[in-house]
Amino acid sequence: KEHVYIGLGSNLGQSTDLLNSAVDAIGNLADTRVLKKSSLYISAPMGPQDQPDFINSVCLIETALSPHPLLAQLQQIENSYGRERKGKRWGPRTLDLDVLLYGNQEVNTDDLTIPHYGMAEREFVLVPLFEIAPNMIMPDGNPLSQWVAKCSLEGLKRIRA
Ligand SMILES: CC1(C)Nc2nc(N)[nH]c(=O)c2N=C1O
């Protein structure tokens, strides 16, 4: 079994309820259990601003699923929540599930990159991750605390759970 950190995001629908039930769905995957989950955080969209604010969180799971089977299961959970297509082109998402870290493993395939490529620039990932793994040493050898210290942080608000 491996310790895997999953990033969750949503900016469409009842995002807080969505994220909470998505963590439950992840915990119901075969040979998988949720060990920790962060608070929910709200932040303005990074990238295209013409969409609603995002709700984000991070959870730590222990799983026997290897990376690609886990990815397939997470995509099934995304589809089960995100099926209502608003007919718009690539717009806001009901649910994004990203594999951030999978033990100390690296994966570089066209459909899966671990550690998640954008982690270092995403305070909406780093802050919830720091909440549940304050002593983490990042893949580049730096302590996570150093990364979080660099984040602006004014853009991120913790939601009273
Ligand atoms: C569009 C893009 C890059 N921006 C985001 N911005 C925020 N704040 N949170 C996200 O989860 C998120 N996800 C994305 O995919």
Side-chain angles (χ1 to χ4, degrees), residues 8-11 41-48 51-57 90-91 93 96 98 117 122-125 155-156:
L8 297 89
S10 168
N11 71 338
Y41 292 81
I42 185 166
S43 63
M46 181 184 95
Q51 58 180 319
D53 287 350
F54 275 84
I55 308 291
N56 289 105
S57 68
W90 183 247
R93 315 79 192 280
D96 264 345
D98 291 323
Y117 61 92
R122 298 181 171 197
E123 66 183 30
F124 57 81
V125 170
L156 201 67

Side-chain angles (χ1 to χ4, degrees), residues 43-47 56 100 113 115-129 138-140 142 144 146-148 150-153 155-156:
S43 63
M46 181 184 95
N56 289 105
L100 302 174
T113 302
H116 189 273
Y117 61 92
M119 279 178 66
E121 296 81 42
R122 298 181 171 197
E123 66 183 30
F124 57 81
V125 170
L126 296 175
V127 172
L129 181 59
M138 300 307 282
D140 68 357
N142 293 316
L144 175 55
Q146 229 169 54
W147 282 12
V148 170
K150 273 192 300 190
C151 290
S152 56
L153 294 190
L156 201 67

Side-chain angles (χ1 to χ4, degrees), residues 47 56 58 68 112 118 133-134 138 157:
N56 289 105
V58 170
H68 281 90
L112 185 57
M138 300 307 282
K157 289 186 194 65

